[in-house]
Amino acid sequence: KAWSPEHPNLYTAKVELVSSDGAVLQTRFERFGVRKLEVRGRDLFLNDKPFFLRGSGWHSIDPINGYARPDREEWLGHARQVRAAGFNIVRTHTECKMPEFFEACDELGMLVQPELPYYTDTPTDYFNFDPLRDAKELWVNYRRHASFAVYSGGNEGWYGEAMTQRFYETVKAMDPDRLCMGQDCWDTDRTNQRDTSDLRGGPTRVWPRGSYDPDGPFLTHEYLNLCVKFDSRAADRFTGVWQAPISRKTRAEWLAKFGLDMELGDRLQNAQHAFQKVWQKRGFESARLDPYCDGYSFWSLLDCVFVNEKGWSGWVDRENPAYMGQGLFDPFFGEKPCGQTAAGFAVFNSPVGVFIDAKPEHLHLVSGEPFAFDVLVANYGDAPIEDATVRWSFGRVNLATAPVPVGRVELGAVRKIATVRAEAPVCTGPLADELSVEVVSGDGTQVFRNSWPCWLFPKSERRDGADIAVCGALQETVRRAFDNVLASNRVAEAKVVIADFGSTGVAAALARGQSVIEVGGMDGKPNVSLGWWGMGS
């Protein structure tokens, strides 16, 4: 039986050295798995089935011990959590982890991309530059592990064309059954990659679908580094080698400068985690909706919690250096308050992914008006889904929905399997809801689902605006929704004054005791984003 992430079948070989008289001189037990990971044209295959790399970076983060210990049970516990989040491969950034790590990954079905310790041609420790030596050492020590899947010559650099090609040829001659790249997906467009890498580099952030189409399978590099501030509530857990990056006292002092207390500060921190959760789902689904994409290397599993150094690219407040919290989990492999859970992550980071293209795009629906969405499936499971049917529903509103039969869903890259058209349900006021979509096999044994937030609004009707006055450029907009709006020379008679941002009429209206809605700050494109290594806007 083949070894794969979903079926990590392992066997044990008993090997004996026997003398001519039949005496057993030495016995060795060797555990192994059998698998075939290969490139065919511009696609990846594992054991002759289409394969998608659902990967992440795994740093050396251990605040208690400073560096991970050779503890098999600890590695198994962490690897189980990573697998529970849906990942099937991890990249060990500029390092190769210890044998106990590979043993755990063998058992749990996690592929590994161990990385040589180089940035370009610069070693990350005190040793001489010799990637051919290091690749051979990696092969000698770890070749028996089914989890060992991809050679990487380092991180974000290039050896130069001649050396990169020699590195690739040397690895392929030594170990032809594993994939190889020069340095992690960074030498795109620098060389003829057909001779230097099995994988192509990909975008690091969300990209327009179908806009990147290289001549081989591509894996996004350090995808979605979504940075927020580190959560000071974890400070008391730093009881080992690492000191807490931010104490509760320091956090309280920072908040006090803005007139905020710790309760509001913690709610703000929860909101940051919730933003991460939204961006993670959007980002992963965007990548999986691109039929050319063959995988991602999410950045990253754990919060790195190092300081964004003062003066580094001018990103940091010199008085309040920000410690990075960009991981799915905190540095102790814990789930973040109001953030994504491992189970929630696996919904869109699984072998079979269900996705939608919605119209309107963000599912802002109005009572009684038509809407539609395409259902798409990326099937990297064990087999085609036979006699599949699409079922869908809202979470809080009852709406009669008919299942849509779609037939057989083949293995392979994402494709549209159905289009759903309906009228939005009636509601009497604004309602936050959820659209759920399921793809179910004919015998009911397979159910694949996903869900998305949606907003339902009552149909807008013109209303009386006799107690409303408008100052500035918004007059035409308001008059489209309200009748009898007061003229600008009758502002003092209004109950509510709607004014442009910065309007001189705002202060006067407030002084008269009127209610004021000040509208502005909306110029340009939407600009809410999370940080990369620094804070976002």
Side-chain angles (χ1 to χ4, degrees):
K1 295 180 179 180
W3 184 98
S4 71
E6 307 311 318
H7 305 284
N9 297 304
L10 292 172
Y11 296 89
T12 300
K14 180 182 179 182
V15 184
E16 295 180 335
L17 178 64
V18 184
S19 67
S20 58
D21 61 0
V24 176
L25 305 177
Q26 187 174 354
T27 300
R28 180 182 179 93
F29 292 92
E30 193 67 58
R31 192 171 65 165
F32 67 96
V34 179
R35 59 140 181 82
K36 180 171 65 172
L37 179 62
E38 59 182 330
V39 173
R40 296 182 188 175
R42 296 193 298 177
D43 298 309
L44 290 172
F45 284 78
L46 178 64
N47 303 329
D48 296 319
K49 295 177 182 178
F51 189 60
F52 189 91
L53 294 168
R54 307 187 311 278
S56 179
W58 190 329
H59 293 93
S60 290
I61 303 295
D62 192 325
I64 304 301
N65 302 294
Y67 196 83
R69 300 167 298 169
D71 185 322
R72 180 178 179 278
E73 293 305 315
E74 188 171 343
W75 282 123
L76 278 169
H78 292 333
R80 283 193 186 98
Q81 191 167 356
V82 176
R83 287 291 289 127
F87 294 105
N88 61 18
I89 184 170
V90 289
R91 172 196 173 203
T92 60
H93 182 281
T94 56
E95 67 157 356
C96 175
K97 295 191 184 295
M98 57 194 67
E100 289 81 2
F101 173 82
F102 284 83
E103 293 284 353
C105 292
D106 285 348
E107 287 186 28
L108 299 178
M110 183 93 73
L111 294 168
V112 182
Q113 178 188 310
E115 200 159 84
L116 299 192
Y118 294 103
Y119 278 89
T120 309
D121 59 353
T122 304
T124 57
D125 210 333
Y126 297 99
F127 56 88
N128 61 311
F129 175 79
D130 192 344
L132 302 185
R133 170 203 62 200
D134 298 332
K136 183 176 181 180
E137 181 180 347
L138 183 62
W139 172 70
V140 167
N141 286 284
Y142 291 98
R143 59 185 172 179
R144 70 182 185 275
H145 292 288
S147 55
F148 176 18
V150 183
Y151 287 86
S152 173
N155 173 61
E156 296 185 356
W158 190 43
Y159 293 150
E161 187 164 0
M163 183 64 203
T164 300
Q165 184 167 345
R166 186 176 174 194
F167 175 79
Y168 180 78
E169 292 172 348
T170 300
V171 167
K172 285 298 182 180
M174 176 178 68
D175 194 1
D177 296 320
R178 290 186 170 94
L179 305 183
C180 177
M181 67 180 83
Q183 294 202 6
D184 187 74
C185 293
W186 207 254
D187 50 3
T188 303
D189 302 327
R190 287 177 172 170
T191 64
N192 177 2
Q193 286 198 300
R194 285 169 294 193
D195 299 327
T196 60
S197 180
D198 293 315
L199 298 171
R200 308 294 181 263
T204 56
R205 303 190 188 215
V206 173
W207 68 95
R209 189 189 312 175
S211 63
Y212 186 67
D213 183 17
D215 64 353
F218 84 81
L219 177 70
T220 65
H221 170 78
E222 298 187 5
Y223 186 57
L224 297 183
N225 189 337
L226 302 172
C227 192
V228 301
K229 285 195 174 186
F230 175 70
D231 191 347
S232 64
R233 287 171 292 188
D236 61 357
R237 299 180 64 190
F238 287 80
T239 59
V241 174
W242 292 15
Q243 295 200 10
I246 302 172
S247 69
R248 294 292 278 171
K249 179 176 180 293
T250 298
R251 175 70 165 158
E253 291 171 352
W254 290 356
L255 289 164
K257 293 179 182 180
F258 300 93
L260 302 175
D261 60 19
M262 288 294 276
E263 180 185 358
L264 285 171
D266 290 343
R267 289 169 63 184
L268 175 61
Q269 184 74 52
N270 290 348
Q272 294 182 48
H273 297 162
F275 263 116
Q276 279 186 316
K277 178 179 179 178
V278 170
W279 256 256
Q280 287 162 354
K281 179 174 170 63
R282 286 188 180 183
F284 270 59
E285 292 188 351
S286 295
R288 298 202 67 176
L289 281 167
D290 192 324
Y292 298 141
C293 182
D294 299 278
Y296 35 71
S297 183
F298 171 61
W299 210 247
S300 59
L301 285 174
L302 304 177
D303 287 348
C304 286
V305 297
F306 68 81
V307 66
N308 194 349
E309 295 93 339
K310 294 180 180 180
W312 184 35
S313 304
W315 286 355
V316 73
D317 179 337
R318 289 185 177 276
E319 294 184 3
N320 305 325
Y323 291 81
M324 302 299 100
Q326 88 286 35
L328 170 59
F329 304 118
D330 69 24
F332 302 92
F333 272 92
E335 295 175 346
K336 300 178 182 180
C338 295
Q340 189 60 267
T341 64
F345 213 85
V347 170
F348 50 83
N349 187 36
S350 55
V352 181
V354 177
F355 312 104
I356 62 170
D357 270 338
K359 306 170 186 60
E361 181 179 358
H362 295 302
L363 291 173
H364 298 166
L365 309 180
V366 177
S367 290
E369 292 193 359
F371 71 97
F373 58 89
D374 293 335
V375 180
L376 300 93
V377 171
N379 185 7
Y380 293 97
D382 289 330
I385 306 170
E386 302 292 349
D387 300 321
T389 298
V390 169
R391 301 191 301 219
W392 63 280
S393 63
F394 292 103
R396 300 177 63 184
V397 176
N398 290 325
L399 182 69
T401 62
V404 182
V406 297
R408 180 182 170 101
V409 181
E410 298 287 353
L411 290 171
V414 67
R415 76 208 69 177
K416 185 176 82 170
I417 63 169
T419 298
V420 173
R421 302 183 189 278
E423 286 188 357
V426 174
C427 60
T428 57
L431 180 67
D433 207 335
E434 187 172 74
L435 172 68
S436 297
V437 177
E438 294 181 339
V439 177
V440 185
S441 62
D443 59 8
T445 60
Q446 295 176 294
V447 180
F448 308 100
R449 59 173 60 91
N450 201 346
S451 62
W452 298 267
C454 63
W455 290 264
L456 303 174
F457 297 95
K459 191 179 291 270
S460 295
E461 297 179 357
R462 293 184 65 84
R463 286 168 285 173
D464 184 23
D467 56 356
I468 297 174
V470 186
C471 299
L474 290 166
Q475 294 184 50
E476 182 181 344
T477 301
V478 174
R479 286 194 169 97
R480 285 203 298 266
F482 294 91
D483 294 322
N484 306 316
V485 175
L486 294 172
S488 56
N489 61 353
R490 299 177 61 190
V491 172
E493 302 173 32
K495 179 181 178 181
V496 176
V497 177
I498 300 176
D500 296 339
F501 186 76
S503 168
T504 56
V506 170
L510 290 173
R512 289 191 295 265
Q514 294 167 294
S515 296
V516 178
I517 300 175
E518 190 177 18
V519 181
M522 296 295 289
D523 295 334
K525 297 179 179 179
N527 64 347
V528 177
S529 63
L530 297 185
W532 199 244
W533 284 112
M535 294 295 103
S537 54

